[in-house]
């Protein structure tokens, strides 16, 4: 397609995004007031389906990996350009167990009384409400433009990105598995794209060459002793001293791995079977391990297993370590980044487009990009600006300034939504009709 023809499509997208900004904002506020935790996104799923049907999209599959939704828009141009291509656009839909303190008039007041380990307050403290609303907005525009497009657009609304409850399956890996089994990847996507709202200035876009988000796993450590009455501990085997030593000494791993390697080990949750007058039989320690390179992750796992096994044995207990919910790193090839940068600059306009270092946070968008190639963008959404000395300052008279994802104070300016709608739609058009492709021909990971 000629540059002038593409420019006409870009202008149509931008005008349409402005015209539906009120709808997208309303969708976002509804989702924000009604957040749902991973694997419990019942009302969110229904809202997505209802909205897609209201747009006029009919090829919808629901109930994927629990409450995931996939929808397809087929281009209708009928010529050869773009045929055989399929762009997958993904948004995550779940919320977090966080008590919101954002100051928004549409803040969540929801409490999930029945969630495992709860009750928990629930909030969209990571911006998944914005991700969902922005993809719905792009879906509306692309559906209305379908006769001017070739190829396929696969819309994926993914549950449980934050991780399912212990003992349950969920997230992107399960969604990919079930979509493969049901034929939803026929034709196979030739690119996957998604974005995450971040505490950068509204309209700023960030990216990383190579690894952008670390690989992640959940670690479950089990220490087993022998239960006995608290008044006679010598008749049993107390697992608590072993737990204490593991919590204190596992940090020695940081001194055993090359300082140039980036990784983290966080043990954040302990489950004990005992009570104040019982020496319990078993204690579980739950945590997470992050690393940029798979070799480092494997090395750390071996060291954790050794610490757990031998520390437990030193206290007369048995110990084991399990590594669950393994998620690969989000990694970009140079070809994909070079191809998408012109789109980022077009969407950002006068706002910054910046290269960022690898982050230790994970995102299971990697399950899609590692299979199909593609890019995971970072979209700014807060009332802040970068200063000349590299700092951050509040803007628009908003004293909240910078508020990190997952914090109770996390917020998103609704003005960011139109940037995200445009970004999804421009990516789809450029992949199907333009030059957005991996010029290196390499795998995503």
């Amino acid at each position: 397609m000629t540059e002038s023809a593409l420019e006409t499509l870009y202008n149509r997208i931008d005008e349409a995004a402005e015209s539906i900004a009120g709808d997208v904002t309303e969708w976002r506020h509804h989702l924000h007031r009604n957040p749902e935790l991973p694997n419990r996104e019942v009302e969110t799923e229904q809202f997505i389906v209802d909205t897609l049907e209201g747009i006029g999209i009919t090829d919808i599959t629901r109930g994927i990996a629990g409450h995931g939704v996939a929808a397809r828009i087929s281009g209708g141009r009928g010529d050869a350009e773009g045929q055989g291509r399929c762009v997958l656009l993904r948004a995550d839909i779940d919320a977090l167990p966080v008590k919101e303190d954002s100051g928004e008039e549409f803040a969540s007041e929801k409490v999930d009384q029945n969630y495992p380990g709860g009750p928990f307050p629930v909030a969209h403290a990571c911006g998944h409400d914005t991700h969902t609303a922005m993809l719905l907005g792009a879906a509306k525009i692309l559906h209305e433009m379908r006769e001017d497009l070739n190829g396929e657009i696969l819309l994926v609304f993914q549950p449980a990105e934050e991780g399912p409850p212990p003992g349950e399956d969920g997230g992107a890996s399960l969604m990919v598995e079930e979509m493969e089994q049901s034929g939803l990847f026929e034709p196979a996507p030739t690119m996957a794209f998604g974005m995450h709202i971040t505490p950068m200035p509204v309209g700023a876009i960030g990216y990383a060459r190579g690894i952008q988000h670390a690989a992640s796993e959940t670690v479950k450590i089990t220490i087993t002793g022998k239960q006995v009455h608290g008044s006679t501990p010598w008749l049993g085997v107390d697992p608590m001293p072993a737990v204490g030593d593991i919590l204190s000494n596992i940090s020695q791993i940081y001194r055993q791995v090359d300082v140039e390697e980036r990784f983290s080990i966080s043990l954040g949750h302990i489950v004990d079977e005992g009570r104040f007058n019982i020496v319990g039989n078993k204690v579980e320690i739950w945590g997470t391990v992050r690393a940029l390179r798979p070799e480092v992750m494997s090395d750390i796992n071996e060291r954790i297993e050794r610490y757990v096994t031998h520390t437990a044995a030193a206290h007369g207990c048995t110990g084991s370590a399990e590594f669950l919910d393994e998620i690969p790193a989000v990694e970009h090839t140079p070809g994909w980044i070079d191809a998408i940068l012109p789109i980022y600059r077009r969407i950002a306009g006068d706002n910054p487009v910046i290269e960022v270092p690898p982050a230790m946070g994970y995102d299971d968008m990697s399950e899609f990009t590692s299979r199909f190639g593609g890019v995971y963008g970072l979209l700014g959404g807060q009332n802040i600006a970068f200063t000349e000395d590299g700092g951050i300052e509040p803007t628009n008279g908003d004293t909240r300034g910078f508020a990190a994802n997952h914090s109770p104070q996390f917020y998103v300016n609704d003005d960011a939504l139109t940037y995200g709608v445009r970004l999804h739609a421009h990516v789809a058009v450029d992949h199907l009709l333009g030059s957005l492709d991996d010029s290196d021909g390499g795998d995503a990971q």
Side-chain angles (χ1 to χ4, degrees), residues 46-62:
Q46 187 63 54
F47 179 82
I48 292 167
V49 171
D50 289 345
T51 304
L52 291 172
E53 290 177 343
I55 289 168
I57 297 173
T58 57
D59 189 349
I60 302 171
T61 304
R62 63 186 301 171

Side-chain angles (χ1 to χ4, degrees), residues 82-396:
Q83 293 287 3
R85 287 196 171 190
C86 174
V87 59
L88 184 157
L89 303 177
R90 174 266 199 178
D92 39 15
I93 68 174
D94 55 323
L96 285 163
V98 171
K99 182 173 177 57
E100 183 167 357
D101 185 26
S102 66
E104 302 286 13
E105 58 87 16
F106 52 90
S108 169
E109 298 179 356
K110 185 171 182 179
V111 176
D112 190 328
Q113 299 287 348
N114 301 313
Y115 203 74
F120 292 113
V122 189
H124 271 297
C126 201
H128 297 187
D129 55 327
T130 67
H131 303 171
T132 304
M134 292 186 296
L135 185 52
L136 288 170
K140 181 176 176 63
I141 294 171
L142 294 168
H143 176 70
E144 292 173 352
M145 294 178 61
R146 64 192 182 282
E147 294 303 323
D148 297 307
L149 303 174
N150 273 337
E152 304 280 333
I153 301 164
L154 184 58
L155 310 168
V156 174
F157 297 87
Q158 180 211 308
E161 187 278 330
E162 299 290 357
E168 297 183 19
D169 294 327
S173 60
L174 183 61
M175 193 163 196
V176 167
E177 178 183 334
E178 293 190 4
M179 290 180 74
E180 285 178 337
Q181 292 172 350
S182 59
L184 290 171
F185 291 147
E186 298 173 8
T190 47
M191 175 189 185
F193 178 77
M195 72 185 83
H196 206 299
I197 204 81
T198 65
M200 294 193 299
V202 171
I205 298 176
Y207 67 93
R209 293 182 182 273
I211 294 173
Q212 181 168 289
H213 295 282
S216 172
E217 66 186 9
T218 300
V219 57
K220 176 188 176 184
I221 296 169
T222 304
I223 305 299
T224 304
K226 180 181 178 183
Q227 185 168 316
V228 70
H229 196 286
S231 64
T232 55
W234 57 88
L235 297 178
V237 180
D238 190 351
M240 280 298 187
V243 170
D245 281 354
I246 289 169
L247 293 173
S248 297
N249 296 328
I250 210 163
S251 62
Q252 290 298 309
I253 292 176
Y254 286 96
R255 301 182 67 240
Q256 298 168 2
V257 177
D258 191 327
V259 71
E260 297 294 329
E261 298 289 353
R262 290 188 60 191
F263 70 94
S264 67
I265 307 169
S266 296
L267 303 178
H269 184 55
I270 298 176
V271 182
D272 173 30
E273 290 184 345
R275 64 191 297 264
F276 76 95
N277 63 349
I278 294 177
V279 172
N281 184 64
K282 182 175 69 176
V283 179
E284 294 176 356
I285 309 170
W286 291 81
T288 184
V289 179
R290 310 289 172 89
L292 298 185
R293 297 199 305 124
E295 306 94 303
V296 175
M297 183 77 83
S298 297
D299 179 42
I300 292 168
N301 289 354
E302 291 177 5
R303 295 176 188 277
I304 289 174
E305 285 186 299
R306 185 165 63 246
Y307 261 101
V308 168
T309 301
H310 291 291
T311 303
H315 290 275
C317 300
T318 59
S320 64
E322 301 173 69
F323 304 98
L324 315 168
D325 307 321
E326 295 173 316
I327 297 170
V330 174
E331 187 171 359
H332 298 139
T333 64
W336 278 117
I337 292 299
D338 290 341
I340 205 167
L341 276 176
I343 302 175
Y344 283 176
R345 296 184 180 116
R346 186 193 316 145
I347 298 300
D350 294 334
N351 298 303
V353 175
I354 56 174
E355 185 169 359
V356 299
M360 298 311 291
Y362 81 87
D363 196 295
D364 63 4
M365 176 67 187
S366 58
E367 298 286 358
F368 297 101
T369 54
S370 64
R371 286 166 172 77
F372 307 120
V375 184
Y376 195 43
L378 303 172
L379 177 64
Q382 293 189 345
N383 297 324
I384 55 177
F386 297 129
T387 61
E388 291 185 1
D389 62 0
I392 294 174
E393 63 183 9
T395 60
N396 299 336

